[in-house]
Amino acid sequence: MPEQPLFERLCIIGPGLVGSSILRLARERGDIAGHLVASARGEHTLERVRALGIADTVEADPAKAVEGCDAVILCVPVGAYAGVMAVIAPHLAPGCILSDVGSTKGSVLRDLAPLLPEGVHLVPAHPMAGTEHSGPDAGFATLFKGRWCIITPPAGTDPDAVARLRSLWERAGSMIETMDAVTHDKVVAVVSHLPHLIAFTICGTADDLAQETREAVLRFAASGFRDFTRIAASDVDMWRDIFLNNREAVLEMLARLTEDAQAFGRAIRWGEAGFIEDRIRRGRKIRRSLIELNQA
């Protein structure tokens, strides 16, 4: 006898890379949701979701999309959460689990919790997986396999709701960690947001060079610079909202990086080989640790 799906009706609002990957995963497995709903603002996105056949119902109006759903996952840029929540909140069914995939969590609680209807369970989550591509055609069912998913339930959240959402991400092949929103935002500021900030900055610096130098940079780009360009090719709206909604943590980590970079610069200026070697060795150590954890 086939296993009962986790949810009767799962709605994905924003079927881009992550949202469409969840839909593909649910379609492929069959034990995540009995009925799949997708909602998006753009008609082109809606048409692509229909053509791909990754949802049973495709609905432009998010208020209609969430009706009767026992699980709703927001997969839009975090800056859009408040507006989307204002529209869907009156239509969320009692007992529904409301979750998301955003890279900031303090802003999620700020924007969603005040509008949360009685009986609806808010269980924020952050699957730490992605590519530089976007849109419904970019998704794939194995995107989350072997990657971390951080769940940040507010104090007092129904344990069964947390367990059901955890089961969804376990079925996606993710490794699960639970932490509070403040800790989450500091962690991702270091491991995700700051590297993106650096990548955007380096590419901007290269783009601002004199024309003849810029052409040489692009022609002879080594693997390190190419890696930065891959990161810098990320979605504009998503990353604008991440920086603005994780402002404090990003600025704190940027200040620490700036101090460390200045110390490195002083070591280069004054020929302090030991300091330089120590930083290189520490970088190699971090890389080995990631490989051992199957995260590289």
Side-chain angles (χ1 to χ4, degrees):
M1 185 175 180
E3 187 176 353
Q4 185 74 14
L6 273 173
F7 305 107
E8 292 182 8
R9 192 176 180 92
L10 169 64
C11 177
I12 299 297
I13 298 181
L17 168 65
V18 174
S20 70
S21 293
I22 297 173
L23 290 169
R24 285 176 168 86
L25 171 74
R27 179 71 89 204
E28 186 176 289
R29 286 188 58 99
D31 62 354
I32 290 177
H35 190 92
L36 296 170
V37 184
S39 179
R41 291 185 307 171
E43 184 56 38
H44 174 72
T45 300
L46 297 172
E47 289 176 358
R48 287 307 304 151
V49 173
R50 292 188 188 99
L52 292 166
I54 54 178
D56 300 301
T57 299
V58 181
E59 174 60 64
D61 184 354
K64 292 182 179 179
V66 303
E67 289 180 350
C69 292
D70 52 346
V72 174
I73 302 179
L74 303 184
C75 302
V76 295
V78 290
Y81 279 23
V84 172
M85 187 61 174
V87 172
I88 68 173
H91 304 274
L92 294 171
C96 174
I97 296 174
L98 175 64
S99 189
D100 78 306
V101 297
S103 294
T104 67
K105 286 292 163 269
S107 68
V108 171
L109 299 181
R110 178 197 71 203
D111 293 342
L112 301 188
L115 297 175
L116 195 70
E118 186 72 26
V120 175
H121 310 293
L122 176 61
V123 190
H126 176 201
M128 300 186 70
T131 72
E132 68 272 29
H133 305 294
S134 59
D137 289 281
F140 51 99
T142 57
L143 176 64
F144 315 107
K145 189 173 184 180
R147 298 300 176 186
W148 284 101
C149 181
I150 301 176
I151 301 176
T152 61
T157 303
D158 178 58
D160 180 62
V162 176
R164 292 176 71 195
L165 189 78
R166 182 186 182 97
S167 182
L168 184 157
W169 289 111
E170 287 174 342
R171 296 181 190 196
S174 296
M175 302 175 292
I176 314 297
E177 183 65 69
T178 301
M179 63 179 67
D180 64 273
V182 173
T183 301
H184 166 276
D185 286 357
K186 287 189 175 183
V187 169
V188 297
V190 174
V191 302
S192 176
H193 304 170
L194 199 57
H196 277 79
L197 184 152
I198 294 168
F200 296 137
T201 303
I202 287 177
C203 290
T205 300
D207 194 48
D208 287 339
L209 293 172
Q211 185 63 29
E212 62 275 12
T213 308
R214 179 180 179 276
E215 290 177 356
V217 166
L218 296 179
R219 186 181 305 118
F220 301 114
S223 59
F225 184 78
R226 289 198 299 271
D227 287 343
F228 279 122
T229 63
R230 179 187 59 78
I231 296 172
S234 300
D235 183 78
V236 174
D237 292 343
M238 180 180 77
W239 279 98
R240 175 203 62 215
D241 287 358
I242 286 171
F243 289 132
L244 294 178
N245 284 279
N246 199 22
R247 181 184 288 109
E248 291 183 7
V250 170
L251 291 177
E252 177 185 341
M253 297 307 163
L254 179 59
R256 296 179 64 168
L257 173 71
T258 301
E259 291 179 4
D260 291 341
Q262 289 174 339
F264 207 139
R266 286 193 296 270
I268 295 172
R269 179 181 297 279
W270 300 112
E272 298 173 359
F275 182 99
I276 296 170
E277 291 170 1
D278 175 69
R279 291 303 170 99
I280 296 171
R281 290 193 182 98
R282 289 167 68 181
R284 289 166 60 87
K285 180 181 177 181
I286 290 291
R287 178 63 181 177
R288 286 196 299 270
S289 297
L290 284 176
I291 293 172
E292 290 170 2
L293 292 168
N294 294 318
Q295 291 296 299

